Amino acid sequence: MEEQWAGLDPETIAVLAGRPHGSGAPVNQPPVFSSIFHPGDGYDYAREGNPSWESFEETIGALEGGHALAFSAGMAAVASVLGTLPPDSLVVAPEVAYVGSRLYLQRLSDEGRIRVRFVDVADTEATVAALDDAALLWLESPTNPMMTIADIATLCSQAHSRGIPVVVDNTFATPLLQRPLDLGADVVVHSASKYISGHSDVVMGVTVTRDAGWRNRLHARRTSGGGIPGPMETFLALRGLRTLPLRIERAQQNAEELARRLEDHPQVERVLYPGLDSSPGHELARKQMRGPGAMLSFLVKGGGSEAEAVCERARVIGHLTSLGGVETTMERRARYEGEEGIPKNLLRLSVGIENVEDLWHDLSQALRS
Ligand SMILES: *Cc1c(COP(=O)(O)O)cnc(C)c1O
């Protein structure tokens, strides 16, 4: 699978991979709405496999450089990876990260199924020191919503020298900007609900790995656990994925511009964006990412209510959760349960592909004191 795409840029692979071929074949894999298949062609019951998933999986697999499995949600992918761990395993995980993953780890720990040690994964030394006795290192980079950067290559080699596998949640960067398997990760997980599908119309997840053991364990968990995607969802996700290179390019340009302007704004205390020289993860991000991406956070002068008021005053930018869609969304993460450690005046911005002057005009009118 790798060889077929050798020498081609991911921007090309995103467009060309996973297409049916042969005389009379459709250019796009249509969704197959059938729960059962006539025997003989490798399909049987659709919980075990559905041709609808495969084009999507082939494309993501080619982009990340591994074997992909599609799941019903990002959290089904996360849960499947964690579900492969033996009881009482110790997981080292980011203290600040996607709240759903953190709360799920905490729940498993509260239930006595696994143990969790939360660390600042941007602090390489502290993370390595925490690896003692661990069964798995869970990374996210950039982290949600503090936009810190973990040194993926160093942490993978340190973990591997202790026999510990590493999982990287690559949702914020996408395979266009970061390829964790090349940096040494054993498994990549994504919420395909975000940039990969890109239009806020799908909930789906995916895992990617080069390791046959992981691949088989995850496949078995998906089949027996039932966290499978629907045929229509995989169709939509792949349709969205085709334009990921264009969307990321434009959204990232917009984000870089907004980050610079926000940094100079009198009502803004601080901007967290790996594309800014002022960001602590800037150099590392340049090294391990192809670009800083389109997610940024900023701290509004004042407190939580001042930040909330900025969201309320925005007209073009949606005061909405989630991220990675063509539309720009903004929210105050600290208002959520489980996000108590996040600064109260922090707003997370998922920058979309709109005209940047319209976005800036909206932000600056919303930021007025
Ligand atoms: C949204 C998200 C998830 C969870 O994915 P769902 O598709 O919502 O289940 C996991 N990790 C990150 C970084 C996310 O943003």
Side-chain angles (χ1 to χ4, degrees):
M1 176 170 63
E2 273 288 87
E3 266 137 55
Q4 191 186 348
W5 305 108
L8 291 178
D9 191 272
E11 295 181 349
T12 306
I13 297 171
V15 176
L16 295 183
R19 295 203 182 264
H21 39 73
S23 173
V27 166
N28 297 295
Q29 167 65 48
V32 176
F33 296 108
S34 191
S35 61
I36 46 175
F37 296 84
H38 289 290
D41 199 20
Y43 304 105
D44 179 19
Y45 183 54
R47 177 155 46 72
E48 288 149 24
N50 183 321
S52 311
W53 309 338
E54 289 164 14
S55 292
F56 171 79
E57 290 174 339
E58 259 180 71
T59 310
I60 283 287
L63 287 172
E64 289 282 7
H67 181 272
L69 289 170
F71 286 83
S72 54
M75 284 314 299
V78 170
S80 295
V81 172
L82 295 173
T84 64
L85 295 173
D88 209 36
S89 294
L90 174 67
V91 178
V92 174
E95 62 191 2
V96 178
Y98 174 65
V99 67
S101 306
R102 261 198 310 115
L103 290 176
Y104 188 67
L105 283 163
Q106 190 61 55
R107 166 163 308 153
L108 293 179
S109 159
D110 292 346
E111 291 172 354
R113 295 168 195 273
I114 60 168
R115 291 170 295 134
V116 190
R117 190 177 283 154
F118 291 109
V119 291
D120 174 5
V121 293
D123 184 338
T124 304
E125 234 170 88
T127 306
V128 171
L131 289 177
D132 224 24
D133 197 29
L136 186 75
L137 172 60
W138 190 277
L139 296 177
E140 195 177 286
S141 185
T143 55
N144 174 33
M146 298 303 286
M147 305 305 300
T148 56
I149 305 291
D151 186 341
I152 297 173
T154 303
L155 289 172
C156 285
S157 86
Q158 289 291 330
H160 289 165
S161 72
R162 292 161 177 80
I164 303 163
V166 182
V167 179
V168 176
D169 185 330
N170 203 27
T171 301
F172 270 35
T174 85
L176 267 296
L177 301 179
Q178 176 168 276
R179 298 224 314 174
L181 299 180
D182 286 346
L183 299 168
D186 299 271
V187 181
V188 165
V189 301
H190 277 282
S191 168
S193 325
K194 317 293 169 55
Y195 286 103
I196 286 174
S197 59
H199 295 74
S200 308
D201 51 8
V202 174
V203 173
M204 232 181 83
V206 62
T207 60
V208 195
T209 181
R210 288 177 186 166
D211 180 273
W214 272 109
R215 170 185 166 173
N216 293 338
R217 286 193 294 280
L218 289 169
H219 188 267
R221 288 219 65 94
R222 180 178 71 174
T223 301
S224 55
I228 58 164
M232 194 63 198
E233 277 72 13
T234 37
F235 178 83
L236 286 171
L238 180 55
R239 189 183 158 101
L241 179 54
R242 297 294 184 207
T243 56
L244 177 64
L246 279 177
R247 290 186 283 107
I248 279 284
E249 185 181 334
R250 170 61 172 256
Q252 182 172 264
Q253 260 172 26
N254 284 354
E256 286 176 317
E257 189 58 38
L258 294 180
R260 274 194 294 272
R261 294 189 192 183
L262 281 168
E263 211 174 26
D264 290 336
H265 196 283
Q267 291 307 117
V268 172
E269 188 181 301
R270 200 166 163 218
V271 181
L272 310 172
Y273 180 59
L276 291 174
D277 296 340
S278 58
S279 157
H282 179 65
E283 277 312 311
L284 192 52
R286 281 174 60 109
K287 215 171 76 182
Q288 71 184 18
M289 299 175 76
R290 204 172 166 173
M295 294 298 302
L296 65 90
S297 294
F298 63 101
L299 277 57
V300 177
K301 276 194 186 151
S305 53
E306 281 78 5
E308 200 71 32
V310 173
C311 295
E312 297 300 336
R313 285 194 292 256
R315 291 287 165 265
V316 174
I317 297 171
H319 185 191
L320 295 161
T321 193
S322 198
L323 58 110
V326 288
E327 69 284 8
T328 302
T329 59
M330 179 164 69
E331 73 173 339
R332 194 171 74 85
R333 293 298 303 174
R335 67 185 171 143
Y336 290 101
E337 201 181 320
E339 296 277 48
E340 288 80 11
I342 306 298
K344 293 201 176 352
N345 57 341
L346 179 144
L347 296 182
R348 188 188 70 186
L349 199 57
S350 168
V351 181
I353 65 168
E354 302 93 333
N355 179 284
V356 72
E357 297 305 333
D358 286 340
L359 294 176
W360 178 246
H361 184 257
D362 194 40
L363 267 181
S364 28
Q365 68 80 20
L367 275 164
R368 72 178 191 268
S369 48

